[in-house]
Amino acid sequence: MDMQLTPEQQQIVSSSESRIVVRAGAGAGKTATLIEYAKARPNQKILYLAFNKSIAEEAKGKFPDNVEVRTTHSLAFGRYGKKYRHKLGELRPFHLEKVLGLDSRRDADRIREVVQLLKAFLQSGQNSIEEMVPISKKDDKALQQKKRQLVEAANKVWEAMQDEQNTDVPMPHDGYLKLYQLSNPDLSPFYDIILLDEAQDTNPCTLQIVSSQEKCGLVLVGDSNQNIYGFRGAVDAMKRLKGAKEYRLSRSFRCADRIAWLGSLVTATFKGDDFILRGVNGKGVVETSIKADGLVAYLYRTNSALLGQAIKLAKEGKKLYFVGGIDGYNLDELLDVWRVAYHRKHAHEIKDRYLKRFDSLDSLEAAAKEMHAQDILTRISIVREYLAELPRLLELVRKQSTDDPAATNIHLSTVHKAKGLEWPTVILGDDFPKLVDRHGRPYSRLLTTLEERLPRCLSPEEANVLYVAITRAQSALQVPEDFLELVEFAKTKGGIPGILKTIEGYKKSRKVY
């Protein structure tokens, strides 16, 4: 039985455009729309590219027979990845020691630069490492030489990655995807149309593969306000596809109207976005304290804050479900850092090869700061907070956790792991950035003049993280106090339209910085 399409969905399904961009709000039925789009074209071969393997597996049973569901990595694995099965893994600083003749502690800065350049190259749409580090005539001789040496070192490691016999240097998953992109694959003999889902968080390498398919129809679907993987180099492909017709899906079948409105308020205030999501699931509840009946999700910005909540709930005897599984929250790696702190007794228990090199938390912290390794620094802060109690508390959390989401009404997740999911009730943690100052004024660059310059203005990326967190809730949302202060500010401006008008006024007067 065919679904009843909204006018917005019908426009997309019946479109004759060869290149389409669909801005779909949270819960706005983008997958259902793509399914109907495919059904309307039974004689065309369609490739649906999913954001990750789990989404691909879920999608396989939903699309009609004329659609093949894949990830870009699975396309690349068949041609290149499979021959590196024996050496797949993440590139770490110590992997570069042998091939470059360096020491990961003594030469930390140089190794960090090489690793960063390689990761950027693998994720990019560029064809060579040289393109990543252009040498300008304005560069002095010393800088030119430094750039050449950096490129030379990166190329040496890249060659070692591609050497099947060299197991000292692993081949990252983005590495064989890069090889696939460099081969300039032509997908037109196999597919007439390519559907790219979650296009707002596209690896630039993937974007190059997709956008170069000139003989295929292209449909890019996503929510620009859910672009939360910029720190990994992800880009919003919908803003980069030239000559595409834009459509919108603005009715959320997930969120109640107050919840959808709050998400739009955040993106309007801190990004100036005029995309307003409208909920069709009743009015809903948004309060600073709600009674959590039934299924509830605790969402946090960081692993460390999530751990604090998990320990508290475990102490109360609550059964816990960690989205994606408890092992995905790096608790074992956290224990390794704890073992470094108590090196004298537990050095032999350290599993991580890199951490084995350190005999104190201070020495590890110093190295992590040099390498800008925020993940390690976060674990160090947790170890310092709980000290000797940490192993017992983590064991308690493990004991109280379950792999079955149906076995408990308490789910825990970071915002990034919660993307794509939904719950009737969501409780937001207290580790999100403050939205307003003590006067109730938003920390928004768009509402701040050059003369005023509020400190710690919320970045567009953080606004997106907040939007994703808010729109995981279906009918009830518990928020920190400053969220409701932002709502009060909006009332003084006439709601979202008033805020957008105010922002436009600031831009025209050129006061905004």
Side-chain angles (χ1 to χ4, degrees):
M1 182 178 177
D2 293 334
M3 66 175 286
Q4 184 68 37
L5 298 174
T6 67
E8 288 179 329
Q9 290 173 321
Q10 185 59 59
Q11 276 190 319
I12 297 165
V13 170
S14 60
S15 175
S16 60
E17 300 287 338
S18 62
R19 294 201 163 198
I20 294 174
V21 163
V22 181
R23 280 201 68 183
K30 65 182 177 67
T31 301
T33 305
L34 291 179
I35 291 170
E36 293 304 311
Y37 180 91
K39 286 181 178 179
R41 294 157 178 80
N43 297 322
Q44 293 187 292
K45 295 173 292 184
I46 300 176
L47 172 65
Y48 170 80
L49 289 175
F51 181 69
N52 55 37
K53 186 177 179 180
S54 61
I55 293 176
E57 289 300 319
E58 183 182 352
K60 284 179 180 177
K62 296 180 178 179
F63 280 91
D65 293 339
N66 61 321
V67 178
E68 183 176 354
V69 177
R70 303 286 295 272
T71 64
T72 49
H73 280 86
S74 74
L75 288 175
F77 187 84
R79 184 178 296 186
Y80 292 102
K82 61 184 179 182
K83 65 180 180 180
Y84 296 108
R85 276 196 187 99
H86 62 291
K87 56 175 286 182
L88 289 174
E90 182 182 355
L91 185 67
R92 302 287 292 272
F94 66 84
H95 290 131
L96 277 63
E97 288 185 324
K98 189 173 181 179
V99 68
L100 296 180
L102 300 174
D103 181 273
S104 62
R105 296 178 70 177
R106 186 186 65 244
D107 305 305
D109 288 340
R110 187 177 177 189
I111 287 179
R112 175 173 54 82
E113 289 178 346
V114 174
V115 170
Q116 288 178 342
L117 174 56
L118 277 167
K119 288 184 176 180
F121 169 63
L122 297 185
Q123 293 174 351
S124 77
Q126 303 297 336
N127 293 321
S128 70
I129 294 176
E130 284 78 4
E131 294 176 56
M132 304 292 295
V133 189
I135 296 177
S136 170
K137 293 180 180 179
K138 296 180 180 179
D139 297 337
D140 60 37
K141 290 184 178 180
L143 181 57
Q144 289 182 10
Q145 179 66 12
K146 182 180 179 180
K147 287 183 175 181
R148 290 191 184 97
Q149 290 175 344
L150 177 60
V151 169
E152 182 182 356
N155 271 318
K156 198 170 184 179
V157 178
W158 176 225
E159 289 172 6
M161 283 183 189
Q162 297 174 70
D163 184 352
E164 297 175 47
Q165 306 305 316
N166 188 343
T167 57
D168 291 328
V169 181
M171 171 62 79
H173 290 279
D174 282 345
Y176 64 77
L177 179 64
K178 186 66 181 179
L179 290 173
Y180 184 66
Q181 178 249 312
L182 293 174
S183 72
N184 297 314
D186 179 11
L187 298 175
S188 63
F190 313 103
Y191 310 105
D192 301 305
I193 300 171
I194 299 173
L195 311 178
L196 179 63
D197 202 357
E198 299 291 339
Q200 80 283 342
D201 275 320
T202 301
N203 184 311
C205 182
T206 295
L207 174 59
Q208 178 62 27
I209 294 169
V210 173
S211 62
S212 65
Q213 305 303 316
E214 297 181 356
K215 298 177 184 177
C216 297
L218 298 180
V219 180
L220 274 56
V221 184
D223 184 352
S224 295
N225 290 326
Q226 293 192 60
N227 172 217
I228 61 173
Y229 286 101
F231 67 94
R232 292 183 182 173
V235 297
D236 188 348
M238 296 182 294
K239 295 179 178 179
R240 302 194 180 200
L241 186 64
K242 296 178 181 179
K245 170 75 173 178
E246 181 179 308
Y247 296 94
R248 292 189 173 191
L249 293 174
S250 61
R251 294 183 63 190
S252 177
F253 299 98
R254 172 195 302 157
C255 303
D257 196 50
R258 287 174 181 168
I259 295 168
W261 182 85
L262 179 60
S264 297
L265 173 62
V266 167
T267 56
T269 304
F270 300 104
K271 295 175 59 182
D273 191 1
D274 65 354
F275 187 97
I276 300 178
L277 188 65
R278 306 185 187 282
V280 297
N281 187 25
K283 289 186 176 181
V285 176
V286 178
E287 299 290 349
T288 55
S289 179
I290 58 177
K291 187 176 180 181
D293 292 327
L295 181 60
V296 58
Y298 291 84
L299 298 188
Y300 283 80
R301 181 70 180 84
T302 61
N303 278 335
S304 56
L306 178 73
L307 174 64
Q309 181 63 40
I311 290 173
K312 179 180 177 182
L313 292 168
K315 283 182 175 180
E316 295 174 0
K318 306 289 188 183
K319 208 72 177 170
L320 312 174
Y321 169 70
F322 287 82
V323 171
I326 191 170
D327 290 336
Y329 292 81
N330 301 324
L331 300 191
D332 286 337
E333 294 179 16
L334 180 58
L335 271 178
D336 256 0
V337 174
W338 178 86
R339 290 171 186 132
V340 172
Y342 293 85
H343 189 270
R344 183 173 298 178
K345 290 185 178 181
H346 299 281
H348 65 285
E349 299 173 9
I350 298 174
K351 299 175 183 178
D352 188 282
R353 287 171 59 188
Y354 179 66
L355 296 183
K356 284 179 181 290
R357 301 163 178 237
F358 300 93
D359 58 7
S360 72
L361 209 57
D362 288 340
S363 63
L364 174 59
E365 185 172 34
K369 286 180 178 178
E370 285 185 38
M371 299 294 292
H372 301 278
Q374 190 56 49
D375 56 338
I376 294 177
L377 290 172
T378 299
R379 292 173 207 139
I380 290 171
S381 69
I382 298 171
V383 171
R384 292 196 189 282
E385 181 176 356
Y386 294 107
L387 297 175
E389 285 285 289
L390 187 62
R392 183 185 66 82
L393 293 173
L394 291 181
E395 187 57 36
L396 176 62
V397 170
R398 284 188 180 278
K399 182 180 178 182
Q400 293 301 117
S401 70
T402 175
D403 292 331
D404 181 8
T408 177
N409 282 335
I410 299 176
H411 293 190
L412 297 103
S413 180
T414 59
V415 177
H416 286 83
K417 283 186 170 63
K419 188 176 176 183
L421 302 177
E422 60 187 47
W423 293 271
T425 301
V426 168
I427 295 176
L428 297 187
D430 58 3
D431 63 332
F432 291 93
K434 289 282 290 182
L435 303 186
V436 298
D437 64 14
R438 59 192 179 89
H439 303 295
R441 182 173 178 179
Y443 285 118
S444 172
R445 287 185 175 85
L446 302 177
L447 295 169
T448 305
T449 65
L450 286 167
E451 293 77 21
E452 294 164 331
R453 282 190 180 242
L454 285 173
R456 63 180 186 184
C457 284
L458 202 72
S459 68
E461 293 76 16
E462 283 295 339
N464 287 348
V465 171
L466 284 171
Y467 171 86
V468 171
I470 290 166
T471 56
R472 299 311 93 193
Q474 294 171 309
S475 54
L477 177 67
Q478 180 175 309
V479 296
E481 182 67 37
D482 56 313
F483 281 65
L484 295 190
E485 291 177 30
L486 179 64
V487 172
E488 291 303 313
F489 172 83
K491 290 179 181 178
T492 68
K493 297 295 182 181
I496 293 176
I499 286 179
L500 293 172
K501 186 176 180 180
T502 302
I503 290 173
E504 193 60 33
Y506 270 74
K507 287 181 179 178
K508 287 181 178 178
S509 65
R510 296 187 179 180
K511 291 180 179 179
V512 68
Y513 74 95

